[in-house]
Amino acid sequence: KNEVEQSPQNLTAQEGEFITINCSYSVGISALHWLQQHPGGGIVSLFMLSSGKKKHGRLIATINIQEKHSSLHITASHPRDSAVYICAGPNQAGTALIFGKGTTLSVSS
Amino acid sequence: NAGVMQNPRHLVRRRGQEARLRCSPMKGHSHVYWYRQLPEEGLKFMVYLQKENIIDESGMPKERFSAEFPKEGPSILRIQQVVRGDSAAYFCASSPILPSAGANVLTFGAGSRLTVL
């Protein structure tokens, strides 16, 4: 059974700060997803990565498959980044995603 | 390309009634997943379906919950004899391939929020 754990659970930051959210998982996986859930509840898939690093705008995701660890970084954070960030990995059957509990980020101006 | 469409967005039911939630996947997506998010909790997998087949229902409660994805029409999550503990947001997602495969193609609907009085 794959367990996915995130830290921190809550994060507050001032506008402009560099943000890091961490994700660890218990079994080997081929890929990991980072999702963003807006205050209104909608969920957007940010990244799916299986190795190395991916960048999209101010968002950077890294993964170390051997250490079973991934990080999501936000550079120059902005209040509009305030959301819940969720990492997810496939279950052992590969048929669905197991989600972390999420990190609630609040960025103030 | 309308994305994943869920309806209703909000549904209120009294205890003992039935709730039906519908999900139309993105065009070209044959894999459908239902997830539940209880208040103040994370997303939990419920069921994975392909057309006319339930592939993995390991996250579904054993009683009162069922799901289908017929050959024609949307996928439906059905909850019979609802109880207050069923109050949650139910999200549907679709993809053209398994989420463990190579591409980031998982698309979520906006969710259906069920309130049981």
Side-chain angles (χ1 to χ4, degrees):
Chain A
K1 181 182 173 185
N2 193 12
E3 303 283 346
V4 178
E5 301 211 351
Q6 285 185 239
S7 63
Q9 189 174 344
N10 296 286
L11 187 54
T12 57
Q14 291 287 329
E15 184 173 357
E17 284 186 18
F18 181 83
I19 304 293
T20 295
I21 300 169
N22 295 301
C23 177
S24 298
Y25 44 93
S26 59
V27 300
I29 60 172
S30 55
L32 185 124
H33 294 250
W34 281 101
L35 310 168
Q36 180 191 53
Q37 186 170 24
H38 298 289
I43 299 172
V44 174
S45 181
L46 297 174
F47 296 103
M48 197 285 299
L49 65 166
S50 54
S51 66
K53 180 166 81 172
K54 284 191 177 179
K55 186 175 188 290
H56 183 69
R58 295 179 294 105
L59 299 176
I60 303 166
T62 63
I63 190 167
N64 184 319
I65 294 288
Q66 286 75 29
E67 293 188 5
K68 301 185 178 64
H69 181 268
S70 177
S71 293
L72 177 69
H73 307 284
I74 305 174
T75 61
S77 59
H78 190 276
R80 64 174 173 265
D81 297 326
S82 298
V84 178
Y85 293 85
I86 305 165
C87 71
N91 61 6
Q92 290 208 304
T95 53
L97 294 177
I98 306 292
F99 296 86
K101 287 187 164 59
T103 296
T104 302
L105 171 65
S106 177
V107 181
S108 55
S109 55
Chain B
N1 195 351
V4 177
M5 305 300 292
Q6 287 189 250
N7 66 83
R9 292 291 310 277
H10 300 275
L11 182 63
V12 178
R13 285 287 177 266
R14 297 193 179 280
R15 281 179 297 169
Q17 291 183 320
E18 179 179 285
R20 282 188 185 225
L21 309 176
R22 287 175 290 278
C23 169
S24 296
M26 279 190 72
K27 190 175 180 182
H29 286 196
S30 58
H31 302 250
V32 168
Y33 314 86
W34 285 93
Y35 296 92
R36 178 165 68 172
Q37 188 172 39
L38 293 167
E40 308 301 323
E41 291 191 21
L43 287 154
K44 294 275 194 280
F45 166 73
M46 297 182 77
V47 62
Y48 159 45
L49 311 104
Q50 293 183 26
K51 282 284 186 185
E52 298 186 278
N53 284 303
I54 297 173
I55 308 301
D56 182 348
E57 57 181 347
S58 58
M60 288 276 271
K62 294 284 184 268
E63 296 177 349
R64 302 187 296 107
F65 284 73
S66 61
E68 62 177 8
F69 189 14
K71 189 176 178 181
E72 302 289 338
S75 174
I76 295 175
L77 180 68
R78 182 182 177 206
I79 311 171
Q80 295 178 288
Q81 298 173 336
V82 295
V83 301
R84 288 216 174 102
D86 297 332
S87 296
Y90 293 83
F91 288 93
C92 170
S94 72
S95 67
I97 54 176
L98 282 173
S100 54
N104 186 18
V105 291
L106 190 65
T107 305
F108 282 81
S112 292
R113 278 150 187 83
L114 172 66
T115 301
V116 180
L117 301 178

